[in-house]
Amino acid sequence: SQQGEEDPQALSIQEGENATMNCSYKTSINNLQWYRQNSGRGLVHLILIRSNEREKHSGRLRVTLDTSKKSSSLLITASRAADTASYFCATDSDRGSTLGRLYFGRGTQLTVWP
Amino acid sequence: DGGITQSPKYLFRKEGQNVTLSCEQNLNHDAMYWYRQDPGQGLRLIYYSQIVNDFQKGDIAEGYSVSREKKESFPLTVTSAQKNPTAFYLCASSTPPSYGYTFGSGTRLTVV
């Protein structure tokens, strides 16, 4: 399976602290994406990083990608209670027959306490 | 506003009954997807479609069926052959393929 795996499964921090989540995957990719899901809602796309990029920023989000280790990390700086959600990484495939579909991990449940 | 709409939000199915979940998008996206999410689990792909009148099975297609007669619509039917259908169902769309997905708000299906 090409499914990514997030680590840790759950993370609990105080407001103002940084939150770091990791994702590992198994096969070559074109891009890796991070999504957020609030309880009982759909997923929201946060950021996409391409295989030829090593780091990307968006507001308080910083994503890194290490294709040699087949891993990525998502850093949320200065966390807020509103950041409480599940975070998923998703990878595509560079194999032509499966272009278009994403493979999602099980997610990291982040809880930010006021 | 452009977006993707799933209906109904909650759905109850009796044993042996087929039910259809609606997914409509006005984003002019070519590709559409159906995922199933169980508590504490990741998303598992049921079916996906990259163009009208064409679709492919995902990892857990048994007991489900889809159609893609219009670019905007990708309904999912949960048939009586699906023995454990209780789950949260998510529809998504994207364009071009492999760019970021836009998700609907989901349908929670419960067997009664």
Side-chain angles (χ1 to χ4, degrees), chain A residues 92-93 96 98-102, chain B residues 31 33 35 48 50 94 97-99 101:
Chain A
D92 69 347
S93 169
T98 58
L99 278 175
R101 66 166 289 181
L102 292 178
Chain B
Y33 312 84
Y35 286 88
Y48 64 112
Q50 295 180 329
S94 72
S98 277
Y99 284 16
Y101 284 9

Side-chain angles (χ1 to χ4, degrees), chain A:
Chain A
S1 168
Q2 187 173 339
Q3 187 180 41
E5 290 293 336
E6 292 90 346
D7 173 65
Q9 289 188 330
L11 181 60
S12 186
I13 60 174
Q14 295 290 129
E15 268 193 328
E17 295 180 340
N18 294 344
T20 299
M21 289 157 269
N22 303 297
C23 171
S24 59
Y25 57 93
K26 296 179 180 178
T27 65
S28 297
I29 60 172
N30 293 308
N31 68 69
L32 184 144
Q33 304 176 30
W34 285 91
Y35 289 80
R36 165 193 170 127
Q37 183 182 34
N38 287 79
S39 181
R41 307 296 297 273
L43 278 71
V44 175
H45 181 256
L46 294 176
I47 197 165
L48 180 154
I49 186 166
R50 302 193 187 284
S51 59
N52 62 354
E53 297 176 310
R54 291 296 167 259
E55 187 170 313
K56 204 162 183 179
H57 296 255
S58 176
R60 293 184 296 112
L61 305 181
R62 172 179 170 253
V63 170
T64 61
L65 179 63
D66 186 335
T67 53
S68 67
K69 295 181 179 178
K70 292 186 169 59
S71 67
S72 173
S73 67
L74 171 67
L75 168 68
I76 304 174
T77 59
S79 295
R80 307 165 181 167
D83 294 327
T84 295
S86 292
Y87 292 82
F88 294 86
C89 72
T91 55
D92 69 347
S93 169
D94 63 357
R95 291 176 292 172
S97 62
T98 58
L99 278 175
R101 66 166 289 181
L102 292 178
Y103 299 81
F104 287 84
R106 294 172 183 258
T108 292
Q109 171 61 52
L110 172 65
T111 302
V112 182
W113 298 101

Side-chain angles (χ1 to χ4, degrees), chain B residues 19-30:
Chain B
V19 291
T20 297
L21 284 60
S22 171
C23 179
E24 302 277 335
Q25 54 101 357
N26 60 2
L27 299 165
N28 200 32
H29 285 176
D30 292 310

Side-chain angles (χ1 to χ4, degrees), chain B residues 32-71:
Chain B
M32 297 187 74
Y33 312 84
W34 274 106
Y35 286 88
R36 169 179 172 143
Q37 186 177 33
D38 293 281
Q41 301 292 315
L43 278 66
R44 292 186 290 169
L45 184 65
I46 306 172
Y47 269 98
Y48 64 112
S49 167
Q50 295 180 329
I51 57 172
V52 175
N53 292 322
D54 187 43
F55 48 83
Q56 290 78 40
K57 292 182 178 179
D59 302 320
I60 55 165
E62 185 175 353
Y64 300 97
S65 66
V66 293
S67 62
R68 187 84 187 277
E69 297 177 359
K70 299 187 300 181
K71 188 175 185 178

